[in-house]
Amino acid sequence: MDRRHFLNTTVATTALSVAPNIFAASPLKVAVMIPQSGPAGLFGPSAKACAELAASEINSRGGILGRKVELLFGDAGLAPAEASQAALKLWKSGGAEAVIGMHDSAVRGALVGVFKGQVPYFYTPVYEGGECANGTYVAGETPQQQLEPVIPWITAERKLKKWYLIGNDYIWGRNTNAAGKNYILKTGAQVVGDEYLPFSVDNFDASVARIRDSGADAVLVSLVGGASVGFNKAFASFGLSEKVLRLGTLIEENTLAGIGIGNAKNLYSSSGYFANITTPAAKAFAQSYSKKFGPQAPMLNGLGQSTYEGFLMLEAIARKAGSLSVAKMDAAREGVNYNSPRGAVTIKSRHVEQDVYVADVDANGFRVVKTFSRVGSGQTCKA
């Protein structure tokens, strides 16, 4: 499919069935940039479903500033230059007045460059930190949230002495492991190895052999999607899962399904959301999702749910600002609170203070074993 045909055919508008007489103004079009192709396309269906659920629920309570939310979908699984052109089309030609983005950091950088603070942009997935652009608001977890409280706890809990770090060779993998290394050293444990792999690697035997030979009793895994699946399967095939702990910050339900329960002994994940969180808000969200999409619904997971989170941020800041203008939303954003399936959330420095959950894996999948309440992002955006 050529690029022009793609852009003309994948800008899909979702019309939501809400009584029209409750809305006082023209619809509010929101561009939703999610991976519909490429390696992260696995997360596209759940992100799309969560966006549709968010819009439906927001519209049922009167929309945003009295305006019915309508969704415009664009593919963020393309190369950054192409994804940014898709977003530009939704904004300038499609009439989008806000953007929700669940995609990688390279695309985020491209979109920030396109928007230049002229349209509110809500970036939702796990990421490496550091984004402070005007008009940009971040719902995703940072390494500080996922690792600073977790590494000391799990190191003490499991009496860990030697860590090995492995990640994909790009900004998120490297920055996550750099933060993790700092927290590990503060516990008195050692880092006995540190390596980064291109996304093209599909055989992990050499890496697993190095981990085995290093004497590590814990591994921080900062691999993405298929790379994480391949590595964790290889890790178990070497018999290391029986005695070496793994901790990941991007191992969610889809990735776990690929790894397989049988390969997940001593596997832990740190995240702001798991599908089986038992808080009332999380249970209500999961029930609403299941009711809306039925038994064939895409698997709920942290990345998909983060898209829903982006809509809650948009709704909350717009309500306080009384406007969708970036200037007014930027002025109003600090200290905005809202409740979500993740728990109570407060916006600080363009990021969020939120609960962080640590889960291991049993026969039924993830099992939350520790909750850290209201963890700050560690970001200090001044703008």
Side-chain angles (χ1 to χ4, degrees):
M1 182 182 292
D2 67 38
R3 179 172 147 198
R4 179 176 298 173
H5 178 68
F6 178 86
L7 292 177
N8 286 338
T9 56
T10 63
V11 180
T13 302
T14 300
L16 299 159
S17 56
V18 179
N21 61 359
I22 70 170
F23 297 107
S26 60
L28 169 60
K29 295 180 180 181
V30 179
V32 184
M33 294 297 299
I34 55 178
Q36 297 174 324
S37 62
L42 172 68
F43 307 113
S46 60
K48 183 175 186 289
C50 286
E52 291 172 345
L53 178 60
S56 179
E57 291 182 350
I58 288 170
N59 286 341
S60 72
R61 52 186 181 253
I64 293 178
L65 302 179
R67 300 172 66 188
K68 173 185 175 181
V69 173
E70 291 187 358
L71 306 181
L72 307 175
F73 287 101
D75 188 6
L78 302 169
E82 292 182 76
S84 62
Q85 286 302 305
L88 181 65
K89 182 180 178 71
L90 295 179
W91 175 30
K92 292 297 189 181
S93 301
E97 296 180 58
V99 180
I100 308 291
M102 201 296 286
H103 45 70
D104 67 30
S105 288
V107 171
R108 186 193 76 249
L111 295 191
V112 167
V114 166
F115 298 147
K116 294 182 171 62
Q118 298 173 76
V119 61
Y121 169 41
F122 296 83
Y123 185 62
T124 72
V126 171
Y127 95 119
E128 66 282 352
E131 183 56 78
C132 292
N134 287 340
T136 300
Y137 314 96
V138 181
E141 307 94 315
T142 64
Q144 290 89 339
Q145 287 171 307
Q146 293 182 284
L147 295 177
E148 188 170 17
V150 174
I151 283 178
W153 172 78
I154 206 167
T155 298
E157 191 80 4
R158 296 293 302 268
K159 298 178 172 58
L160 304 173
K161 302 295 184 183
K162 297 180 179 180
W163 286 78
Y164 196 103
L165 315 181
I166 187 167
N168 281 122
D169 190 9
Y170 80 119
I171 187 170
W172 178 76
R174 285 187 171 274
N175 283 21
T176 297
N177 282 5
K181 183 175 183 178
N182 181 48
Y183 303 138
I184 288 164
L185 295 177
K186 285 182 178 179
T187 70
Q190 294 177 266
V191 173
V192 294
D194 189 0
E195 67 173 280
Y196 300 91
L197 305 174
F199 287 102
S200 58
V201 171
D202 59 7
N203 186 311
F204 298 90
D205 287 357
S207 295
V208 175
R210 283 191 287 272
I211 292 170
R212 178 196 61 200
D213 296 343
S214 74
D217 54 13
V219 181
L220 178 60
V221 182
S222 298
L223 298 165
V224 179
S228 183
V229 170
F231 168 77
N232 281 290
K233 282 185 169 182
F235 192 90
S237 75
F238 272 62
L240 293 183
S241 60
E242 294 296 319
K243 56 185 179 180
V244 180
L245 177 146
R246 288 162 288 168
L247 171 65
T249 57
L250 195 55
I251 300 176
E252 42 61 71
E253 284 78 1
N254 281 300
T255 305
L256 178 60
I259 294 168
I261 298 295
N263 297 317
K265 187 171 183 179
N266 285 314
L267 177 66
Y268 289 78
S269 179
S270 171
S271 179
Y273 176 81
F274 291 100
N276 62 355
I277 295 171
T278 58
T279 61
K283 291 171 71 173
F285 169 71
Q287 289 165 2
S288 296
Y289 183 86
S290 179
K291 181 179 178 180
K292 184 171 179 65
F293 300 107
Q296 301 305 312
M299 184 181 295
L300 261 182
N301 61 85
L303 291 176
Q305 188 277 335
S306 77
T307 311
Y308 179 93
E309 202 77 14
F311 280 88
L312 298 185
M313 288 187 76
L314 166 59
E315 180 185 33
I317 299 176
R319 181 189 301 117
K320 182 178 177 184
S323 171
L324 289 167
S325 103
V326 166
K328 291 183 178 179
M329 293 183 77
D330 270 359
R333 72 177 195 271
E334 195 71 9
V336 167
N337 296 285
Y338 63 90
N339 293 312
S340 89
R342 297 180 172 218
V345 175
T346 302
I347 299 172
K348 295 184 177 180
S349 293
R350 299 191 181 278
H351 294 69
V352 296
E353 180 183 271
Q354 62 180 305
D355 293 347
V356 171
Y357 305 92
V358 182
D360 66 5
V361 179
D362 64 16
N364 298 312
F366 286 121
R367 178 187 64 154
V368 174
V369 294
K370 182 69 174 178
T371 301
F372 295 93
S373 299
R374 307 304 298 269
V375 182
S377 70
Q379 308 302 297
T380 56
C381 297
K382 301 298 184 184

